[in-house]
Coordinates of all heavy atoms in Angstrom, one line a residue:
R109 N 21.2 -11.5 -3.2 CA 21.9 -10.4 -2.6 C 21.5 -10.2 -1.2 O 20.5 -10.6 -0.7 CB 21.6 -9.1 -3.4 CG 20.2 -8.6 -3.5 CD 20.2 -7.1 -3.7 NE 20.7 -6.4 -2.6 CZ 21.1 -5.1 -2.6 NH1 21.0 -4.4 -3.7 NH2 21.5 -4.5 -1.5
S110 N 22.4 -9.5 -0.5 CA 22.2 -9.2 1.0 C 21.0 -8.2 1.1 O 20.6 -7.5 0.2 CB 23.4 -8.7 1.6 OG 23.9 -7.5 1.0
Q111 N 20.6 -8.0 2.3 CA 19.5 -7.1 2.6 C 20.0 -5.7 2.4 O 21.2 -5.4 2.5 CB 18.9 -7.3 4.0 CG 18.2 -8.6 4.1 CD 17.5 -8.7 5.5 OE1 18.0 -8.3 6.5 NE2 16.2 -9.2 5.5
I112 N 19.1 -4.7 2.2 CA 19.4 -3.3 2.0 C 20.1 -2.8 3.3 O 19.7 -3.0 4.4 CB 18.1 -2.5 1.8 CG1 17.4 -3.1 0.5 CG2 18.4 -1.0 1.6 CD1 18.2 -3.0 -0.7
T113 N 21.2 -2.1 3.0 CA 22.0 -1.5 4.1 C 21.5 -0.1 4.5 O 20.7 0.5 3.7 CB 23.5 -1.4 3.8 OG1 23.6 -0.5 2.7 CG2 24.0 -2.8 3.4
S114 N 21.9 0.4 5.6 CA 21.5 1.8 6.0 C 22.0 2.8 5.0 O 21.3 3.8 4.7 CB 22.0 2.1 7.4 OG 23.4 2.0 7.4
K115 N 23.2 2.6 4.4 CA 23.7 3.5 3.4 C 22.9 3.5 2.2 O 22.6 4.6 1.6 CB 25.2 3.2 3.1 CG 25.8 4.1 2.1 CD 27.3 3.7 1.8 CE 27.9 4.7 0.8 NZ 29.3 4.3 0.5
E116 N 22.5 2.3 1.7 CA 21.6 2.2 0.6 C 20.3 2.8 0.8 O 19.7 3.4 -0.1 CB 21.5 0.7 0.2 CG 22.8 0.1 -0.4 CD 22.6 -1.4 -0.7 OE1 21.9 -2.1 0.1 OE2 23.1 -1.9 -1.7
A117 N 19.8 2.7 2.0 CA 18.5 3.3 2.3 C 18.5 4.8 2.2 O 17.6 5.4 1.7 CB 18.0 2.9 3.7
G118 N 19.6 5.4 2.6 CA 19.8 6.8 2.5 C 19.9 7.2 1.0 O 19.3 8.2 0.6
I120 N 18.6 5.5 -1.6 CA 17.3 5.3 -2.2 C 16.4 6.5 -1.9 O 15.6 7.0 -2.7 CB 16.7 4.0 -1.6 CG1 17.4 2.8 -2.2 CG2 15.2 3.9 -2.0 CD1 17.0 1.5 -1.5
V135 N 19.5 7.5 10.2 CA 18.9 6.3 9.6 C 18.9 5.3 10.7 O 20.0 4.9 11.2 CB 19.8 5.8 8.4 CG1 19.1 4.6 7.8 CG2 19.9 6.9 7.3
W152 N 14.2 0.2 7.4 CA 15.0 1.4 7.7 C 14.1 2.6 7.8 O 13.3 2.8 6.9 CB 16.1 1.6 6.7 CG 17.2 0.6 6.7 CD1 17.4 -0.3 5.7 CD2 18.2 0.3 7.7 NE1 18.5 -1.1 6.0 CE2 19.0 -0.7 7.2 CE3 18.5 0.9 8.9 CZ2 20.0 -1.2 7.9 CZ3 19.6 0.4 9.6 CH2 20.3 -0.7 9.2
L166 N 14.1 -3.8 4.6 CA 15.4 -4.3 4.3 C 15.3 -5.4 3.2 O 16.3 -5.6 2.5 CB 16.1 -4.9 5.5 CG 16.8 -4.0 6.5 CD1 15.9 -3.0 7.2 CD2 17.7 -4.8 7.5

Side-chain angles (χ1 to χ4, degrees):
R109 62 155 293 163
S110 59
Q111 292 186 319
I112 301 299
T113 65
S114 60
K115 182 179 179 180
E116 288 176 323
I120 291 171
V135 181
W152 295 110
L166 275 68

